[in-house]
Amino acid sequence: MYLVGVTGGIAAYKTAELVRLFVREKKEVQVVMTPGAAHFVSPLTFHTLTGRPALLDQFQVSPGERVRHIDLASSARVFVIAPATANTIGKMAAGIADNLLTAVYLAARCPVVLAPSMNEQMYLHPAVQENLARLRTHGCLVIDPAEGEQACGISGKGRAPEPAQIAEFVRSALREKDYRGLRVLVTAGPTREPLDPVRFISNRSTGLMGYALARALARRGAGVALVSGPTALPCPDGAELVPVETARQMHAAVLERFAGCDLVIKAAAVADYRPSAAAEQKIKKDGAKTALELQLNPDILEELGRRKSEQILVGFAMETERAKEHAREKLRRKNLDLIVLNDLTVPGAGFGSLTNQVCIIDRKGRAEDLPMMSKESLAHQILDRIRPLLPPSRPGG
Ligand code: CTP
């Protein structure tokens, strides 16, 4: 059961949307409110969304309950308190249990996620900051409030995070950290091969698959270096972004980090060729030369395959014909442990799409066709297949 605690701040209205997101994910949700919260949102709103009465009263017991706050605490998979006001944060930090929500908090042993939300001056007050620091040491997971327009009319830090952000944080908090202590290098995005200072050769890669892998790995506890060609995507939380532009820069960045890695996933679409010479000045259209001379780029993955010792190597293949045959050949030639095959002929798969449909092929040549799914889900599916090839997690790593 997902326990959602609502306290008395204006951002309580956003919690209705958060609850809807959880319900849509097929979670059973029980809402617990402070009396203050009921001034902002009616308990009936949450009752309607969850199918269960929102609970406020510490001393009321319904049929089937024994000790309300203990029953609630022990049935919770996670306790999400959103918004968390300065008042409730203070009580939690001090161990005060004067309402149902704070009593449940003291009894709960599940992960507790807090989304503080209040006026900036209140948020920055040393008392609130000290209380939050204390709650962190007690194991609470605190989502930093956003900066921006606040209900009191001023703009600043203290704004409640959006419901989707809280839901994502909760998913992350609950995911098993089966990659903890492992060091992983992911490459993503296209490379750009300059022709002159304004032009380059590149490809249609947007980086979505590689970034989804980096995000999934960070969530599962891995130390992630994301060597990425130019994309429009933000660096996933918890990953270290190493921006590069050309194949040769990617080659250097990857080789520099390779020795210290347990796993390399090469999702980047590396340009196979580069212009033999990049002009120092912009090429003018004087028609003097119309042919482009190209030269082969280093094959990064093939080189890793030659150098590898204990590392697990995962490559991607993008094919348009005789896909599995070509992918198996690539896996052998590059000495890979696994290859993820994108078939560009399938609608909804490949470059720029939020979904993907792939086939995963292992060293024994066994091929597993996966159904079409979001790149986020696929990232986890790929990691599930890789995990048994790696050593056990290193605790504390
Ligand atoms: N790759 C690489 N360095 C290159 C080219 C590709 O590391 N210079 C990696 C990609 O990141 C990917 C895998 O090799 O994981 C397969 O890339 P792909 O372009 O499909 O295969 P190629 O080996 O380049 O073969 P071809 O272009 O002939 O299909």
Side-chain angles (χ1 to χ4, degrees):
M1 165 127 68
Y2 277 30
L3 208 54
V4 176
V6 191
T7 71
I10 178 59
Y13 80 91
K14 289 191 176 180
T15 311
E17 181 61 28
L18 176 66
V19 165
R20 272 191 78 200
L21 291 178
F22 287 152
V23 170
R24 238 184 257 148
E25 287 176 13
K26 308 263 180 293
K27 308 293 184 240
E28 271 188 73
V29 183
Q30 173 66 62
V31 172
V32 174
M33 303 172 80
T34 60
H39 289 292
F40 292 92
V41 185
S42 161
L44 186 61
T45 305
F46 293 115
H47 187 159
T48 311
L49 291 172
T50 63
R52 294 161 179 270
L55 304 175
L56 285 101
D57 193 335
Q58 193 174 3
F59 303 109
Q60 199 184 38
V61 181
S62 305
E65 285 180 330
R66 277 184 73 170
V67 183
R68 175 169 273 186
H69 61 286
I70 305 294
D71 291 353
L72 286 168
S74 54
S75 62
R77 166 101 178 80
V78 63
F79 190 14
V80 186
I81 303 172
T85 55
N87 184 43
T88 293
I89 289 168
K91 287 192 221 170
M92 287 167 66
I96 295 170
D98 68 342
N99 61 34
L100 181 63
L101 191 151
T102 46
V104 172
Y105 166 68
L106 284 190
R109 290 297 168 266
C110 60
V112 177
V113 174
L114 280 183
S117 163
M118 65 202 75
N119 158 276
E120 183 180 40
Q121 298 306 330
M122 293 173 76
Y123 176 70
L124 294 177
H125 194 285
V128 174
Q129 289 302 313
E130 281 163 24
N131 286 334
L132 283 171
R134 194 154 179 208
L135 287 174
R136 283 191 164 100
T137 66
H138 296 174
C140 286
L141 302 163
V142 182
I143 311 179
D144 273 339
E147 295 223 14
E149 197 191 323
Q150 297 195 274
C152 54
I154 63 159
S155 193
K157 192 164 167 118
R159 193 183 140 88
E162 293 310 313
Q165 217 183 322
I166 301 177
E168 165 68 18
F169 191 96
V170 170
R171 251 178 259 132
S172 166
L174 293 183
R175 186 164 272 285
E176 196 197 337
K177 303 281 187 252
D178 58 345
Y179 275 74
R180 178 175 289 141
L182 295 171
R183 289 147 308 173
V184 185
L185 197 156
V186 179
T187 70
T191 62
R192 284 181 181 171
E193 309 301 324
L195 277 160
D196 69 14
V198 286
R199 305 177 180 99
F200 54 81
I201 297 177
S202 191
N203 57 60
R204 294 182 191 276
S205 168
T206 53
L208 281 168
M209 192 66 240
Y211 278 60
L213 281 160
R215 188 174 309 109
L217 279 159
R219 267 207 218 153
R220 290 166 75 153
V224 188
L226 174 60
V227 177
S228 174
T231 73
L233 304 172
C235 178
D237 278 349
E240 177 211 356
L241 181 67
V242 183
V244 296
E245 200 155 313
T246 65
R248 284 188 295 173
Q249 286 169 1
M250 185 173 280
H251 178 252
V254 168
L255 286 184
E256 195 184 310
R257 290 164 178 79
F258 184 52
C261 283
D262 299 294
L263 164 68
V264 178
I265 308 182
K266 284 228 72 236
V270 186
D272 287 327
Y273 295 92
R274 66 177 181 276
S276 295
E280 268 179 31
Q281 304 302 331
K282 186 181 164 202
I283 300 169
K284 305 301 280 180
K285 55 174 178 300
D286 52 16
K289 206 168 129 202
T290 50
L292 199 56
E293 198 182 308
L294 299 174
Q295 156 175 8
L296 202 57
N297 268 329
D299 190 314
I300 307 168
L301 198 49
E302 204 171 312
E303 188 164 343
L304 298 185
R306 278 195 301 274
R307 291 185 180 212
K308 86 169 178 186
S309 49
E310 301 295 302
Q311 293 95 337
I312 295 299
L313 278 191
V314 178
F316 274 71
M318 193 151 258
E319 307 292 346
T320 53
E321 46 136 18
R322 292 190 297 161
K324 285 185 183 150
E325 187 185 324
H326 281 142
R328 285 196 177 98
E329 183 280 318
K330 257 174 216 179
L331 178 137
R332 268 194 306 277
R333 175 163 47 90
K334 302 195 184 194
N335 191 16
L336 307 180
D337 298 282
L338 222 58
I339 192 155
V340 182
L341 166 64
N342 282 291
D343 189 340
L344 279 188
T345 56
V346 179
F351 289 142
S353 163
L354 292 177
T355 53
N356 210 358
Q357 188 185 333
V358 304
C359 171
I360 301 181
I361 303 178
D362 68 11
R363 270 182 97 87
K364 295 200 170 119
R366 286 180 300 213
E368 184 186 3
D369 288 296
L370 296 182
M372 178 79 69
M373 64 184 90
S374 71
K375 286 184 174 171
E376 294 295 331
S377 304
L378 179 58
H380 284 290
Q381 293 283 330
I382 294 172
L383 296 185
D384 291 345
R385 307 293 182 289
I386 299 173
R387 187 63 192 86
L389 307 175
L390 288 158
S393 303
R394 298 191 187 100

